[in-house]
Amino acid sequence: VALHSSACLHLLSSVRPGAARVPTATVRPATVQTSCAQWSASARRFRRALPRRQPIRFILALQEHPSASAASRAEVHQAIVAACLVSKSVYDERDTRLMFVWPRAGGMRAVTVDRSLLGVTEGRFVPAELPVLEALSLEITARELAFEVALEQLLDECSRLAFASPVALRIVEGGPTEWPEGKNQAVWPTDPPLLLFLRWQGSLPLPEHATLVAPGGRVAARTLVVLQHWHTMGVLAAAVSPRGALPCRGVKGLLEDVVDLVPTPGQDVISGNLVSVQGTVVGRVRQGHVLFADFGPARAMCKEQRLGHEFRVLVAELRVGDVLHCEGLPGLDFHGAPTVFVQHIRGIEPGTQIEDTEMEEAQKENEADSQQQQR
């Protein structure tokens, strides 16, 4: 099955937590190719239908320069394929990054790679060792940095993707009895980014949140593949960034809070009681430094002045159909509409429904493909 095909995406997205069911049916390519995602007209559309995940970053410590020996070249090649190419054919650009760190006179050096490595070299890119290492060599020449600078850039990127600070984890090799429990948690795209340090000697450059035990091997690629699957299934999120119970107070409660308020034409009327609100977003409008999330009978007013960096994350991540969890002051806006004036964002829960327009477009593409095949 082609690495970037819809069939491959179907297989990778079919992994589920829990014990394997007996009997386990064999998945044959012919079956996969004819029964991929229900509305998958292309790999691009299939990617859009998959869950949005929290950011994950791998930092792999090497003993020498990535191209210094045959062993190092084999390790970095397999690590890139496992962490970036396969994963990135399923998920979007905010997902997987892989940073290589190695010692050199004058301090540690580093380079960060992701799916953009596919476009570094000219011509068709295949995940074989020679083209991957050629692209990596060009990337090192152009973007090699001191490790401290590379880490600072990584943290700055993470601050634009999530509300909370990144979680630094040390990955060590161990047996099944030490692996994380089989619990899983629904992954939200704004959960704290995960920074996973592999084969790291000494103290971490960031406060160490926990040590996570995973399967090992001669090369790091095996560990990377397992961690990717744990991440997809929500095992990592449940083990290292569990999400506390969020208040279930919905829009109805917000309407009850403002029922006694008297609207003032041209002015916002705000209550002094901080409340927690969650609501499904049916529309969003941004006006400069203010974003309005429409809940239907009420709405949330989110100002950059109040939210700070959370506002940038909100603008980038909030989509129609998502559930917005926030804290704010209930009141009436200058039009008299029930509004929560947001003071803090607790999270964005991804919506589960696919928009009807996308379904219709996918059906049209499928019909066009069928007509082309008949001709």
Side-chain angles (χ1 to χ4, degrees):
V1 177
L3 193 65
H4 305 300
S5 66
S6 294
C8 181
L9 305 184
H10 174 77
L11 289 172
L12 293 176
S13 69
S14 297
V15 179
R16 295 292 181 269
R21 298 178 181 178
V22 180
T24 303
T26 303
V27 180
R28 302 187 182 281
T31 304
V32 175
Q33 290 169 2
T34 58
S35 61
C36 290
Q38 295 179 358
W39 60 284
S40 175
S42 65
R44 177 180 61 83
R45 288 195 170 277
F46 191 81
R47 285 194 295 271
R48 291 172 62 186
L50 291 174
R52 292 139 61 194
R53 306 191 305 175
Q54 70 188 124
I56 184 171
R57 306 289 183 261
F58 296 108
I59 297 93
L60 176 59
L62 304 174
Q63 299 300 317
E64 55 186 357
H65 190 277
S67 61
S69 65
S72 294
R73 291 193 292 271
E75 173 136 41
V76 298
H77 163 242
Q78 295 184 42
I80 290 172
V81 173
C84 299
L85 303 188
V86 173
S87 167
K88 295 290 290 179
S89 67
V90 181
Y91 303 103
D92 59 24
E93 286 73 9
R94 71 189 309 277
D95 232 15
T96 305
R97 303 280 192 278
L98 173 61
M99 178 187 294
F100 293 111
V101 183
W102 65 91
R104 203 179 73 175
M108 303 290 287
R109 307 295 293 178
V111 66
T112 304
V113 297
D114 56 19
R115 186 172 172 76
S116 63
L117 203 66
L118 294 171
V120 172
T121 57
E122 297 181 359
R124 185 175 180 180
F125 189 96
V126 294
E129 182 171 335
L130 184 60
V132 169
L133 293 180
E134 180 184 352
L136 177 62
S137 177
L138 295 174
E139 196 75 2
I140 291 176
T141 302
R143 294 183 172 83
E144 179 185 346
L145 297 170
F147 171 62
E148 293 77 9
V149 177
L151 183 61
E152 183 179 351
Q153 292 181 356
L154 193 66
L155 294 176
D156 180 66
E157 179 192 48
C158 289
S159 69
R160 300 192 299 270
L161 300 176
F163 302 120
S165 301
V167 175
L169 304 170
R170 184 191 299 272
I171 306 300
V172 298
E173 181 180 346
T177 57
E178 302 174 285
W179 295 350
E181 298 181 8
K183 299 178 181 179
N184 65 308
Q185 171 182 280
V187 180
W188 296 0
T190 51
D191 285 345
L194 303 180
L195 305 185
L196 280 59
F197 291 81
L198 292 86
R199 301 189 175 179
W200 196 271
Q201 303 295 326
S203 59
L204 299 184
L206 299 172
E208 185 172 335
H209 178 79
T211 297
L212 191 71
V213 181
R218 291 187 301 106
V219 294
R222 180 188 178 193
T223 305
L224 291 173
V225 169
V226 173
L227 292 172
Q228 291 276 31
H229 283 302
W230 284 354
H231 183 41
T232 303
M233 295 186 294
V235 173
L236 287 186
V240 301
S241 61
R243 191 168 44 249
L246 296 176
C248 298
R249 198 166 180 276
V251 177
K252 183 179 179 181
L254 174 62
L255 297 177
E256 294 174 353
D257 292 335
V258 302
V259 68
D260 295 330
L261 296 180
V262 178
T264 302
Q267 293 184 7
D268 295 331
V269 180
I270 304 176
S271 170
N273 300 322
L274 190 68
V275 298
S276 298
V277 178
Q278 69 175 29
T280 301
V281 179
V282 298
R284 50 165 281 177
V285 177
R286 181 183 178 184
Q287 297 177 352
H289 298 282
V290 181
L291 185 141
F292 294 95
D294 188 1
F295 297 145
R299 63 178 182 171
M301 178 187 289
C302 309
K303 287 188 175 183
E304 185 175 10
Q305 183 180 5
R306 295 196 189 105
L307 298 178
H309 92 280
E310 292 183 357
F311 183 80
R312 294 183 300 170
V313 179
L314 182 70
V315 170
E317 292 301 326
L318 186 65
R319 303 180 185 177
V320 174
D322 290 346
V323 179
L324 178 64
H325 299 261
C326 61
E327 292 179 350
L329 303 173
L332 304 174
D333 65 6
F334 59 90
H335 292 303
T339 304
V340 56
F341 297 86
V342 179
Q343 307 292 316
H344 174 62
I345 304 294
R346 300 176 65 96
I348 297 175
E349 182 179 353
T352 57
Q353 293 184 350
I354 300 170
E355 295 183 7
D356 294 339
T357 54
E358 293 184 345
M359 290 286 290
E360 293 174 0
E361 292 176 3
Q363 292 175 357
K364 291 180 181 179
E365 290 188 10
N366 283 329
E367 292 175 359
D369 291 341
S370 300
Q371 293 176 0
Q372 185 67 24
Q373 291 176 0
Q374 292 175 359
R375 293 176 184 175

